[in-house]
Amino acid sequence: MTRLDRVSALHRRGLNALNRGRPLLAVRAFRDGLRIAPDDVRLLNSLAAAEAALGNTGQGFLLLDRADALATPATKGLLLQQRGLLLVLVGRMDDALVCLDRAIGLLRDDPTVLARTLLNRAMLHQIAGRVRAALGDLERCERLGRDLGLDRLVAKAIHGRGSCQLLAGNIPAALRDFDQARRVYESHADGMLPVVAVERARALLAAGLHSDAATELDYALDRFPRTRMDQEHAEALLTRAQVALAADDLTTAKTWASRAETRFRRRGNETWAAVAAATKVRAEFGSGNRLGVVAARASALAARLAELGLDNDAEATGLVAARAYLARGRVDEARGHIRPRSGPRSLLETRLTRRLALAELSAVTGNSRAIFTHARAGLALLRDHRGRAGSLDLRTSTTSLGRELARAGLAAALANGSPPVVFGWLERSRAQAFRFQQVRPPDDDDTIEAVAELRQLAHQVRTAELAGTPDADARRRCAQLERAIRARGWHAEGTGEHSADATFSQVRAALGETTMVSYASGDGGLWALVITSARAQLVPLGSLATVSESLAKLHSDLDASCGRQLPAALDRVIKASIRRRLAALTDDLIRPIRPLLGDSAVVIIPTSALSAVPWGLLPDMAGRPVTVSPSASTWLAGRGAELARPSGCLLVAGPDLAHADDEVLRLAKIYGDGAVLLGADATVKSTLDALDGCTTAHFAAHGHHEWENVLFSRLDLSDGPLMAYDIHQLRSAPAHVVLSSCDVGQTVVRNGDEILGFTAALLYSGTKTVVSSVASVDDDAAVDVMAAYHRGLLRGLRPARALADATLIQPLMPFVCFGSS
Amino acid sequence: MTAPDEPLDGLDHAILAGVKDMWRQADPVPADLLDRIKFAIDLETVDLEVMRLTELARPAATRGDEQSRLITFDSETVTIMVSIRQNPDGTIRVDGWLTPAGRHPIELRTAGGTAATVSDEDGRFVLDPVCSGLVQLIVRPTGTTRTVTTPSISL
């Protein structure tokens, strides 16, 4: 091997390591090369890049100075682009842009370096919020990369495009790009995997999925020390701080932000250090101590960020100052820190914070009309943003800003006390995911395969559990598949179209003889807005915490006693506890509104923990038709569907239950026709096929509500689980579904009373009425109740009336009629 | 190697270390053994009655899985049933029912300290939040001098 061959082999090896995200290995190779050829401009240039990647930017600049003195016209562009990149890394963005612009003009004959330079300039544009310019460079880079067959570079261009999508607020598109880049990195650049994980974390954070973001970051933070990517590592620390901040874990947020700030300082990156400091000041504001100091600090920092050219961060930090001044009652200083309008490149989060600050300012100055205006404008922004996501997982998750905006509006409405105003705010701030056109989850081959594998493994897990020999490996693999399927769902984009909220007068006109009770919570308190066609009244109730604790106890009581022969003395204790809890719930939720209820049918709109109330067990509700709906708008939209005389009936019995077959056969006799799936015939496929197009479906099966991964809440069928996920795939869901199973009437309630669960999945997919249980169901006792229920339907009763009559024959049946009836 | 009465040499020590490693792998000391012993000998009471434990299986007669563990403890005088479930934040909630029904002081011993509550007149009590680990319930039924304790259980 000649001297020249050795040098170029070492150079290649180093570049390869660098591109794979292994700068330490790269430095070693370049130094070895320079020992043989000390004046090689390209080696000096590459070493500068590797040193910078390790955080030694000063060393990088020295190397470039040395190379400049040796440069020829052929290497001038190369060195300029490298200098530009180093300038980016130390936060000197304007100088960097000048270098890169000049380099791009000189690099026409060197397409590989040109493509890389375009990638870097795109990053520069992106940091400054110039999304369109960034996308232009990335597109050119991707095209060059494809022509040159440079997979890694193409992947990085796609990765960069994802970052731009994120800036533009399109989270599904961002996640799709990050996942596409990740697939290439997995085989070609494992050092880039933690980098793209941080980007995914940012997207998930923006979507409000904090714990998923934290999982991504934990992976990245574990990997960075090995690859020694210092800037990215510091950014990951900062993002971790932002995740903790979003999750209200302020102490942790401060710790991570301090660590990030120290690391940026050490790198000489004052720009990023200022961003880290801004995150810390947000955490300090959140903890609410020494707000005068916090306000002054945020104010100074906002000025500093503006100097550094970070307009969005400057505005956001100014708003922290404004809110801190407001909390101290210093209105003038606060007003001075809220811009008349957001900057052209301000992110959604900043725009929402501005609206929140203005709402808070209006609260301090007692201008309730302005509170409503600003909170409403903020929520409208948020709704547009949500409409861009197709998956319910993203649609039902909101950042804490959404919660605070809704709280500001609702608090002002409750203080105002006028029923139409309160009604408007309740509808505006709850169960918004129902307003959007539903999007079916992606059904590409990979996903279909993953779902098939999951179903088969879940069946295996369940069989093993029933046999008393749990299969830990299969269970782990199930969890892995569930994560992958869920993450794939995030890619779906929404159409943005949404239906309007129901108005107060529309709802009143539709109520007829029915009374609507819409529960509201705020600052720990609880209210009931009671509406009839003739009048409406806002009634203050007790505390939400008391009701939640009563409910938690009641659920434990019901679960412990259900389906068991307990010693008589113990059974008496449990029954006494159930009576006591029901009495307490009645006192807190019903007694204050009893005079308004009379004996009319009731529509209940629950809030937070109230979604789990087994309403039919409350003595006031026994024998009374009760319908529970996510919002008045959802209730109104579902009305008018003809349910009373079901046609096209499907009856399904799941395995491992003594009485499920009895139940289904009795119902078949009652109806005299309809499809029946029993025993081995009740497979997932046959059920899904039969569901498409039938109007009423009845399931007698084991049910499981999955708190942790609610998309996979399920009913057991003969060959595996029918999951909430499958329900989302249905082309048309039956108008009426009865789930004669445990627990699947429960929901996970996210901020803004957004709900997820098996019953919720049916409602989202277009089912008008779901009868399901919010607690355990006794296998034997369910049979008579369900037979009575369906006989009632055939006699022409509405579902809520039929259920009220049917449950009178059995005590403690926690079935609830959801949706409209 | 050395004769039986000679002091151990380096090779002996190496062999013994090998034997130790082998047993450590083949039959390791349970990780929580020491904790269990310490935990058990911390409790000193004179008139102590230890209850019998029965973990109740999932009832076949319901249409779903238990989201909690249900355990009963029996003694001559007292029966306790507890339901153990995990809170979303990873801590544990213990719901309990006690006969004879009435207000009885109840303590929950954990490695980190003791939590105390009193059952209501129906014999119902709740301990929430509890950290996972070894715990033991101690009841001092009102109107007696006796102390009833459950075996230690792992949450």
Side-chain angles (χ1 to χ4, degrees):
Chain A
M1 209 190 259
T2 68
R3 177 175 161 278
L4 210 64
D5 287 343
R6 280 202 342 259
V7 170
S8 62
L10 283 166
H11 194 192
R12 262 201 314 279
R13 189 195 300 168
L15 284 179
N16 199 27
L18 194 56
N19 287 333
R20 274 202 353 257
R22 296 298 176 90
L24 202 59
L25 293 176
V27 164
R28 240 175 261 155
F30 297 143
R31 288 220 181 104
D32 288 349
L34 281 167
R35 260 193 288 279
I36 306 168
D39 288 343
D40 189 311
V41 170
R42 287 173 193 277
L43 269 178
L44 285 168
N45 178 64
S46 302
L47 181 58
E51 290 286 3
L54 287 173
N56 311 324
T57 36
Q59 179 68 17
F61 282 117
L62 287 177
L63 285 160
L64 287 181
D65 291 345
R66 217 172 107 198
D68 273 342
L70 303 161
T72 61
T75 50
K76 190 116 186 71
L78 181 74
L79 291 172
L80 268 170
Q81 64 87 29
Q82 192 62 259
R83 185 173 294 273
L85 187 54
L86 259 61
L87 287 166
V88 171
L89 290 181
V90 296
R92 286 165 56 192
M93 304 302 175
D94 295 340
D95 298 339
L97 187 61
V98 173
C99 279
L100 293 190
D101 285 346
R102 280 175 61 205
I104 284 169
L106 293 170
L107 284 168
R108 274 176 223 296
D109 298 330
D110 198 344
T112 310
V113 180
L114 175 59
R116 263 205 331 260
T117 311
L118 286 163
L119 188 69
N120 293 334
R121 191 169 68 178
M123 181 171 79
L124 197 53
H125 286 317
Q126 184 218 314
I127 290 171
R130 295 184 291 267
V131 173
R132 194 169 310 173
L135 283 171
D137 281 352
L138 288 170
E139 200 191 320
R140 221 174 126 197
C141 169
E142 189 185 339
R143 217 169 35 234
L144 277 169
R146 286 197 196 283
D147 292 346
L148 295 163
L150 298 171
D151 292 345
R152 227 161 16 203
L153 197 66
V154 172
K156 285 183 183 172
I158 292 169
H159 177 164
R161 188 174 68 203
S163 309
C164 290
Q165 301 281 19
L166 182 55
L167 267 184
N170 191 342
I171 292 167
L175 285 168
R176 204 164 52 218
D177 284 339
F178 295 147
D179 286 357
Q180 195 184 337
R182 184 170 61 173
R183 273 197 294 281
V184 179
Y185 295 153
E186 269 163 6
S187 49
H188 288 73
D190 56 356
M192 288 298 292
L193 289 172
V195 181
V196 83
V198 175
E199 291 281 35
R200 281 172 54 82
R202 287 189 180 128
L204 295 169
L205 171 63
L209 297 177
H210 318 140
S211 67
D212 295 289
T215 306
E216 294 284 336
L217 288 169
D218 290 343
Y219 162 82
L221 287 169
D222 178 52
R223 296 281 288 246
F224 276 132
R226 273 181 261 174
T227 62
R228 300 274 314 266
M229 290 168 112
D230 196 58
Q231 168 73 20
E232 286 81 356
H233 190 166
E235 285 181 35
L237 291 171
L238 176 57
T239 313
R240 190 67 189 76
Q242 288 161 348
V243 168
L245 186 60
D248 260 343
D249 183 355
L250 303 172
T251 318
T252 312
K254 272 183 258 182
T255 311
W256 288 107
S258 295
R259 272 187 219 166
E261 189 183 352
T262 308
R263 201 174 268 257
F264 285 127
R265 285 251 146 75
R266 207 167 53 214
R267 293 181 53 79
N269 194 331
E270 290 303 317
T271 309
W272 276 96
V275 177
T279 303
K280 202 161 81 181
V281 100
R282 274 169 62 197
E284 284 163 356
F285 168 68
S287 54
N289 302 323
R290 302 171 66 218
L291 286 179
V293 178
V294 171
R297 193 176 298 160
S299 174
L301 203 49
R304 169 98 179 103
L305 286 159
E307 244 169 59
L308 289 165
L310 297 177
D311 191 58
N312 172 65
D313 297 84
E315 182 182 352
T317 309
L319 289 167
V320 174
R323 297 182 66 198
Y325 280 126
L326 273 177
R328 306 269 298 175
R330 288 161 65 178
V331 176
D332 290 339
E333 282 104 326
R335 199 175 271 131
H337 283 87
I338 307 176
R339 297 185 185 178
R341 60 181 44 181
S342 275
R345 297 197 191 101
S346 289
L347 297 180
L348 176 71
E349 194 189 357
T350 310
R351 290 168 197 273
L352 293 176
T353 312
R354 180 174 163 273
R355 289 298 182 176
L356 183 60
L358 284 167
E360 287 171 350
L361 176 70
S362 315
V364 171
T365 56
N367 183 348
S368 58
R369 186 184 295 265
I371 301 177
F372 292 143
T373 306
H374 293 298
R376 196 181 294 136
L379 289 177
L381 273 173
L382 202 59
R383 177 187 289 209
D384 290 344
H385 174 70
R386 274 183 178 187
R388 304 181 73 166
S391 69
L392 279 163
D393 201 8
L394 292 188
R395 276 186 185 169
T396 54
S397 65
T398 335
T399 58
S400 53
L401 281 170
R403 187 185 59 204
E404 289 189 56
L405 280 162
R407 187 165 60 198
L410 191 58
L414 289 168
N416 170 304
S418 143
V421 175
V422 174
F423 176 87
W425 275 95
L426 282 173
E427 288 304 297
R428 192 170 292 124
S429 58
R430 81 172 10 152
Q432 288 290 314
F434 278 97
R435 303 285 184 288
F436 294 101
Q437 186 79 41
Q438 294 313 308
V439 176
R440 290 165 62 211
D443 57 352
D444 55 291
D445 291 347
D446 286 352
T447 310
I448 289 172
E449 241 170 65
V451 172
E453 188 188 348
L454 172 63
R455 206 184 311 280
Q456 196 255 327
L457 275 175
H459 188 50
Q460 196 176 312
V461 166
R462 171 117 184 103
T463 312
E465 255 165 28
L466 289 175
T469 51
D471 186 341
D473 285 343
R475 192 184 268 276
R476 251 193 309 279
R477 174 75 183 140
C478 279
Q480 220 170 43
L481 286 165
E482 286 175 0
R483 269 197 304 276
I485 294 165
R486 178 164 168 249
R488 185 68 183 78
W490 295 335
H491 293 185
E493 282 182 57
T495 59
E497 288 168 47
H498 60 82
S499 53
D501 297 332
T503 65
F504 188 60
S505 54
Q506 280 170 332
V507 168
R508 280 182 83 163
L511 276 171
E513 301 294 305
T514 304
T515 303
M516 178 176 279
V517 183
S518 184
Y519 288 97
S521 59
D523 294 328
L526 205 56
W527 288 261
L529 178 63
V530 185
I531 309 169
T532 67
S533 57
R535 60 181 183 157
Q537 196 178 328
L538 181 67
V539 182
L541 307 175
S543 93
L544 180 61
T546 312
V547 171
S548 301
E549 183 51 28
S550 297
L551 270 171
K553 281 192 182 138
L554 177 63
H555 276 273
S556 288
D557 292 336
L558 291 172
D559 287 352
S561 67
C562 184
R564 277 199 185 84
Q565 281 299 329
L566 291 171
L570 212 46
D571 193 56
R572 274 197 301 277
V573 169
I574 294 182
K575 294 285 157 52
S577 177
I578 291 175
R579 278 193 301 277
R580 192 176 285 273
R581 292 327 132 203
L582 292 173
L585 288 170
T586 299
D587 277 351
D588 289 335
L589 298 175
I590 306 294
R591 197 178 41 79
I593 59 170
R594 193 179 281 146
L596 303 169
L597 292 181
D599 55 3
S600 72
V602 177
V603 174
I604 288 170
I605 317 293
T607 186
S608 60
L610 271 57
S611 71
V613 176
W615 296 97
L617 303 191
L618 300 179
D620 282 271
M621 297 296 160
R624 182 201 299 263
V626 177
T627 309
V628 176
S629 212
S631 69
S633 303
T634 317
W635 173 78
L636 188 70
R639 277 186 80 258
E642 199 39 65
L643 305 167
R645 289 219 155 250
S647 63
C649 190
L650 169 68
L651 307 166
V652 184
D656 306 316
L657 280 173
H659 300 281
D661 286 3
D662 296 353
E663 182 171 314
V664 157
L665 290 171
R666 268 178 76 180
L667 298 184
K669 217 177 281 171
I670 291 169
Y671 279 110
D673 66 352
V676 174
L677 294 172
L678 287 179
D681 293 339
T683 63
V684 173
K685 182 168 187 322
S686 61
T687 303
L688 282 173
D689 288 349
L691 269 179
D692 236 337
C694 77
T695 59
T696 296
H698 180 103
F699 289 87
H702 275 290
H704 314 271
H705 176 66
E706 287 282 322
W707 287 102
E708 298 277 319
N709 214 345
V710 67
L711 191 57
F712 301 97
S713 292
R714 62 196 186 272
L715 299 177
D716 285 328
L717 296 181
S718 71
D719 64 337
L722 177 75
M723 305 175 288
Y725 176 86
D726 299 310
I727 300 299
H728 291 304
Q729 294 279 8
L730 286 177
R731 246 165 263 280
S732 73
H736 182 32
V737 177
V738 183
L739 305 173
S740 182
S741 309
C742 287
D743 300 331
V744 284
Q746 294 185 20
T747 48
V748 165
V749 184
R750 291 184 169 172
N751 278 338
D753 288 325
E754 301 288 351
I755 58 169
L756 288 171
F758 199 96
T759 294
L762 284 162
L763 294 174
Y764 284 118
S765 297
T767 299
K768 304 299 178 202
T769 311
V770 183
V771 169
S772 55
S773 169
V774 293
S776 299
V777 170
D778 184 285
D779 180 30
D780 187 7
V783 179
D784 283 342
V785 172
M786 284 303 157
Y789 172 68
H790 284 277
R791 274 200 215 95
L793 289 185
L794 275 175
R795 282 203 314 275
L797 300 182
R798 307 297 294 181
R801 161 58 67 196
L803 185 66
D805 292 354
T807 44
L808 280 177
I809 60 175
Q810 274 287 348
L812 301 185
M813 268 298 178
F815 285 110
V816 174
C817 178
F818 289 100
S820 307
S821 139
Chain B
M1 282 282 265
T2 46
D5 49 351
E6 283 178 64
L8 299 179
D9 65 12
L11 181 60
D12 291 319
H13 284 295
I15 291 170
L16 286 174
V19 171
K20 183 177 166 190
D21 279 350
M22 181 193 79
W23 281 112
R24 184 175 282 160
Q25 280 178 28
D27 185 16
V29 181
D32 59 349
L33 181 66
L34 208 58
D35 288 341
R36 278 179 183 271
I37 295 170
K38 278 195 208 144
F39 192 76
I41 55 184
D42 272 353
L43 182 75
E44 38 176 294
T45 310
V46 200
D47 187 8
L48 188 82
E49 189 182 344
V50 178
M51 310 179 86
R52 290 177 305 277
L53 176 152
T54 323
E55 183 138 8
L56 298 180
R58 186 180 73 85
T62 66
R63 294 189 174 184
D65 276 349
E66 289 263 47
Q67 299 187 345
S68 53
R69 275 167 74 196
L70 207 57
I71 303 175
T72 60
F73 301 97
D74 286 300
S75 73
E76 297 284 313
T77 46
V78 176
T79 300
I80 301 176
M81 180 163 77
V82 292
S83 154
I84 299 158
R85 70 170 68 207
Q86 203 169 20
N87 290 318
D89 65 359
T91 59
I92 310 272
R93 175 183 169 101
V94 177
D95 276 276
W97 301 266
L98 188 155
T99 67
R103 293 180 170 277
H104 306 290
I106 295 162
E107 285 171 28
L108 182 91
R109 287 183 67 229
T110 71
T114 300
T117 185
V118 180
S119 58
D120 69 14
E121 54 256 57
D122 301 324
R124 183 78 163 88
F125 63 93
V126 173
L127 291 148
D128 181 27
V130 179
C131 292
S132 52
L134 283 177
V135 304
Q136 195 170 23
L137 277 173
I138 300 158
V139 184
R140 304 182 206 281
T142 310
T144 68
T145 54
R146 124 179 317 206
T147 299
V148 184
T149 169
T150 69
S152 55
I153 53 169
S154 180
L155 295 186

